[in-house]
Amino acid sequence: KKKRLNKNKLMMRRYLLVFLGVGLTSLQLLAQKSYPVKATLLVKAPHSPYVSDYTTVDHNPLTLTLLNQDASFSGEVVFRLSMKGVGISIQSTNPGTIPVSTPLGTPVILSGNDLASYFSSSNLSFSGYSKTQYEQKGILPEGLYEFSFQAFDARRNDIAVSNVASFMCWIQLHDPPQLIFPKNQSTAESKTPQRVSFQWQGTTQTNVTYELELYELRVTDKRDPNEVIRGASPIFTTSTKSTTYIYTIKDPPLQDGLHYAWRVRAKTDTDKELIKNGGYSSTFTFTYLPSCKTPSLVKSVPSKNKTALIS
């Protein structure tokens, strides 16, 4: 029995080696396959979830470069687009209809705007993400994606004439602001004149305005602060480009002993949702109280049973 088992194991190893050998040979053949046109794709960061951002004229975020290296091919090409993420596949149903010339030895550089028609939902098939979602939101879910283009002969669009030019990128929304001071559930010192420093860490999204909101909380209200402020109006709000705000006597007076909640929202100059949680930070609370100074002139009078009278 042991001999049979050993023989079976040996046969399995041989089959595995043959399988791996065939697989490696196939990969080598694929790698060696040459096309008349060399294609290179570049997608500049930051990688927006909004598809329209890749076809905009501004900043030229997507660039496809073609180089015809074969004198036997001097025709025109069309393309197939593919956008693949984890569990998501969006691909061209057919090669495009707008041909692009590829003269020998001369690089042809196409922008995202030149390739905009390939991103139209009418020319795409969807798997793992519906056409309706794509059309209504115009965004890709967060995650790792591979964008790719491949050129085909415009006269016979079933014949590939370039390699698959691909680019991997991580698509995600920016993190919202992170509150720093006053710390959550802390005490902010009541001073005369009034002065409270609000500080937060900004988002990585550029060109944003920060909106600080301050709410008054009732001492008897034990609900979650986020629930309390959801239906309330702030007692104070202000906008700034900075990540700090000094609350002074020019602002509404804070009352000793009261609880307050505050949060910050990062707002962009567009209507696009580029920051998580609608741009809102978490909510912090603090109590506004005068400082309790260290007692001075402390006197101690010893008493019985190892006790003392302190005054």
Side-chain angles (χ1 to χ4, degrees), residues 174-239:
H174 296 267
D175 289 327
Q178 305 293 315
L179 305 186
I180 299 176
F181 188 84
K183 294 181 179 180
N184 193 27
Q185 299 180 348
S186 66
T187 297
E189 183 181 352
S190 169
K191 296 179 180 179
T192 304
Q194 175 177 268
R195 184 182 177 86
V196 178
S197 176
F198 291 93
Q199 301 175 25
W200 58 91
Q201 179 180 318
T203 178
T204 52
Q205 171 67 26
T206 57
N207 298 322
V208 299
T209 299
Y210 296 103
E211 190 173 86
L212 169 65
E213 297 176 354
L214 182 65
Y215 296 83
E216 184 178 297
L217 303 177
R218 295 179 181 178
V219 179
T220 56
D221 200 330
K222 303 300 180 183
R223 291 180 296 165
D224 183 281
N226 291 288
E227 183 182 349
V228 175
I229 68 176
R230 190 173 296 127
S233 298
I235 63 168
F236 171 78
T237 182
T238 188
S239 296

Side-chain angles (χ1 to χ4, degrees), residues 13-287:
R13 287 176 183 173
R14 287 177 179 173
Y15 281 125
L16 181 59
L17 289 172
V18 171
F19 175 77
L20 290 173
V22 172
L24 289 171
T25 303
S26 299
L27 289 173
Q28 289 172 351
L29 289 172
L30 286 172
Q32 292 172 1
K33 186 175 182 180
S34 61
Y35 295 95
V37 178
K38 180 182 179 181
T40 306
L41 181 64
L42 175 65
V43 183
K44 295 179 183 177
H47 302 123
S48 170
Y50 287 86
V51 177
S52 60
D53 286 345
Y54 297 100
T55 60
T56 181
V57 177
D58 299 334
H59 311 302
N60 200 20
L62 185 148
T63 304
L64 179 64
T65 304
L66 306 173
L67 179 61
N68 185 359
Q69 305 174 105
D70 191 338
S72 65
F73 179 79
S74 58
E76 296 179 322
V77 299
V78 289
F79 306 97
R80 284 184 182 269
L81 163 68
S82 172
M83 294 180 285
K84 293 184 178 180
V86 179
I88 295 174
S89 179
I90 303 173
Q91 302 183 75
S92 297
T93 51
N94 295 295
T97 57
I98 304 174
V100 174
S101 297
T102 56
L104 179 65
T106 303
V108 177
I109 301 175
L110 302 174
S111 68
N113 186 252
D114 297 324
L115 300 163
S117 61
Y118 290 93
F119 291 87
S120 172
S121 61
S122 60
N123 301 322
L124 297 171
S125 63
F126 297 83
S127 175
Y129 190 65
S130 72
K131 181 178 180 179
T132 302
Q133 290 174 304
Y134 185 87
E135 290 175 336
Q136 289 180 346
K137 298 182 178 180
I139 63 174
L140 297 173
E142 289 186 277
L144 182 66
Y145 284 84
E146 180 186 49
F147 284 67
S148 66
F149 279 92
Q150 186 172 25
F152 289 78
D153 190 331
R155 293 169 299 178
R156 297 183 58 185
N157 59 25
D158 59 333
I159 299 177
V161 295
S162 85
N163 58 296
V164 177
S166 60
F167 192 93
M168 302 291 292
C169 58
W170 184 266
I171 290 178
Q172 65 176 8
L173 295 173
H174 296 267
D175 289 327
Q178 305 293 315
L179 305 186
I180 299 176
F181 188 84
K183 294 181 179 180
N184 193 27
Q185 299 180 348
S186 66
T187 297
E189 183 181 352
S190 169
K191 296 179 180 179
T192 304
Q194 175 177 268
R195 184 182 177 86
V196 178
S197 176
F198 291 93
Q199 301 175 25
W200 58 91
Q201 179 180 318
T203 178
T204 52
Q205 171 67 26
T206 57
N207 298 322
V208 299
T209 299
Y210 296 103
E211 190 173 86
L212 169 65
E213 297 176 354
L214 182 65
Y215 296 83
E216 184 178 297
L217 303 177
R218 295 179 181 178
V219 179
T220 56
D221 200 330
K222 303 300 180 183
R223 291 180 296 165
D224 183 281
N226 291 288
E227 183 182 349
V228 175
I229 68 176
R230 190 173 296 127
S233 298
I235 63 168
F236 171 78
T237 182
T238 188
S239 296
T240 177
K241 289 286 186 180
S242 176
T243 55
T244 61
Y245 182 79
I246 307 300
Y247 195 94
T248 63
I249 55 174
K250 65 182 178 62
D251 301 316
L254 303 181
Q255 298 183 42
D256 290 356
L258 288 188
H259 300 299
Y260 294 90
W262 69 289
R263 65 179 180 177
V264 173
R265 185 186 186 188
K267 301 178 69 175
T268 64
D269 54 3
T270 70
D271 293 331
K272 294 179 178 178
E273 187 177 328
L274 299 173
I275 305 172
K276 297 175 184 176
N277 196 36
Y280 281 106
S281 70
S282 55
T283 302
F284 276 12
T285 62
F286 66 89
T287 304

Side-chain angles (χ1 to χ4, degrees), residues 6-18:
N6 290 333
K7 188 176 180 180
N8 289 336
K9 286 182 179 179
L10 183 61
M11 291 296 292
M12 289 178 67
R13 287 176 183 173
R14 287 177 179 173
Y15 281 125
L16 181 59
L17 289 172
V18 171

